[in-house]
Amino acid sequence: MGTLSLSPDTFDGHPALLLDAGSSLDMNSVETLASLFNEAADGGLPLVVDVSSVERMSTSAVQIFLAADRALAEPGCRLALRKPTSTFLAAFADSGVSLERMNWTVEAAGD
């Protein structure tokens, strides 16, 4: 897994933050993931999460995404998922969460 970090990006032609999720979102990464979501919420910019390389995802990571949704809604930010893999989508489905019901922008699915 690569190091999770935030970097500048654009979303709908406006400044945003990019979080590259890497290949593994498991118990080893959830603390850092939560911290970065909080940092993004404090920045007040839309957050684009590149999940195009996710090969493993735990239920705890799904829970962090759900908590981030609430945190990002506070300052009026938006959450966008970039090219979610079938593994990423399955982790939400297995947890009983429909991405269609979330207020997230989902760019074309990966793999």
Side-chain angles (χ1 to χ4, degrees):
M1 178 186 87
T3 303
L4 296 171
S5 63
L6 293 173
S7 60
D9 198 43
T10 59
F11 180 74
D12 285 344
H14 300 285
L17 294 172
L18 173 68
L19 192 162
D20 184 345
S23 63
S24 181
L25 293 172
D26 57 17
M27 290 297 294
N28 295 319
S29 62
V30 293
E31 188 174 323
T32 301
L33 185 63
S35 175
L36 291 172
F37 278 139
N38 288 332
E39 184 179 335
D42 291 343
L45 294 173
L47 177 63
V48 178
V49 184
D50 185 342
V51 290
S52 63
S53 298
V54 174
E55 297 173 357
R56 183 172 64 204
M57 186 165 178
S58 67
T59 302
S60 57
V62 171
Q63 292 170 336
I64 296 298
F65 271 84
L66 297 176
D69 181 59
R70 289 186 289 279
L72 289 167
E74 292 298 323
C77 296
R78 294 178 63 188
L79 180 67
L81 302 175
R82 183 170 288 161
K83 298 181 180 177
T85 62
S86 57
T87 299
F88 182 89
L89 297 172
F92 278 87
D94 291 347
S95 297
V97 178
S98 169
L99 287 183
E100 290 80 25
R101 297 186 73 195
M102 303 305 296
N103 192 27
W104 301 341
T105 300
V106 179
E107 296 179 7
D111 78 7

